[in-house]
């Protein structure tokens, strides 16, 4: 996951691929981690917003996201599916474009409300959600 994210132009903290958790710094992409996490959740990819080294944003609205691989491993997904997941993440970051949240709480609340509305009505997210659901059906979660 980390390698594929780096190949797609994401800044992976630690530049390492040996862990099941990956922290991505979105500062250079000028996308707030809170916003990215909400967009990913809309399509069924769950991650956490996360602070990054040298963080300049408030902790509730940090500059990064944290992704993990345990669930995709439990689903027996392999490199091909990781590539598909990273492509979806990349497509979402491109679709969002530069989206930094205001430090002013009132303005930020309005921005987030507008963004949530776009997430629910934009056909782009609906299409990606169907793609994620199709992949998950092909690789069902098997807990034994």
């Amino acid at each position: 996951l980390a390698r594929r994210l780096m190949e797609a132009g994401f800044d992976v903290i630690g530049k390492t691929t040996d862990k099941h958790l990956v922290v991505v710094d979105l500062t250079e992409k000028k996308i707030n981690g809170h916003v990215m996490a909400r967009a990913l959740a809309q399509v069924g990819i769950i991650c956490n917003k996360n602070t990054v080294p040298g963080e300049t944003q408030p902790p509730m609205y940090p500059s990064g996201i944290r992704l993990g691989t345990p669930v995709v491993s439990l689903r027996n997904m392999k490199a091909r599916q990781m590539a598909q997941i990273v492509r979806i993440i990349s497509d979402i970051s491109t679709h969002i474009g530069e989206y930094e949240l205001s430090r002013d709480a009132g303005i930020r609340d309005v921005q987030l409300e507008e963004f949530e509305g776009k997430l629910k009505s934009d056909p782009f997210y609906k299409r990606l959600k169907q793609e994620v659901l199709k992949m998950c059906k092909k690789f069902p979660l098997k807990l034994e």
Side-chain angles (χ1 to χ4, degrees):
L1 179 64
R3 181 177 51 80
R4 296 271 187 181
L5 285 163
M6 289 185 288
E7 289 170 358
F10 288 93
D11 182 10
V12 173
I13 302 300
K15 310 286 187 250
T16 182
T17 61
D18 61 346
K19 304 271 190 273
H20 70 280
L21 292 174
V22 177
V23 177
V24 178
D25 185 345
L26 298 168
T27 303
E28 288 183 20
K29 291 191 175 286
K30 296 186 173 150
I31 302 172
N32 182 275
H34 180 87
V35 168
M36 187 67 169
R38 290 295 308 128
L40 290 169
Q42 185 67 29
V43 303
I45 297 174
I46 306 304
C47 69
N48 297 90
K49 57 189 177 187
N50 209 89
T51 57
V52 298
E55 182 64 71
T56 59
Q57 299 301 314
M60 288 299 294
Y61 305 98
S63 301
I65 56 171
R66 186 179 72 228
L67 299 156
T69 59
V71 173
V72 292
S73 295
L74 281 172
R75 290 179 176 277
N76 204 29
M77 292 181 181
K78 303 292 183 203
R80 185 172 179 203
Q81 289 73 41
M82 284 294 185
Q84 185 177 2
I85 291 166
V86 169
R87 188 212 17 97
I88 292 168
I89 293 169
S90 184
D91 287 353
I92 288 173
S93 74
T94 300
H95 189 73
I96 291 172
E98 293 184 7
Y99 199 98
E100 296 184 84
L101 292 175
S102 173
R103 287 190 167 277
D104 179 289
I107 295 171
R108 185 177 56 232
D109 289 345
V110 171
Q111 285 178 307
L112 289 171
E113 188 175 321
E114 289 173 354
F115 186 73
E116 289 290 331
K118 288 178 185 176
L119 286 175
K120 293 176 180 147
S121 64
D122 190 334
F124 171 82
Y125 294 105
K126 291 177 183 177
R127 179 180 56 78
L128 288 181
K129 184 174 187 168
Q130 291 306 310
E131 184 178 342
V132 170
L133 286 171
K134 183 178 177 182
M135 184 175 15
C136 288
K137 285 179 183 176
K138 188 174 180 181
F139 295 90
L141 191 58
K142 295 179 183 176
L143 300 175
E144 295 177 16

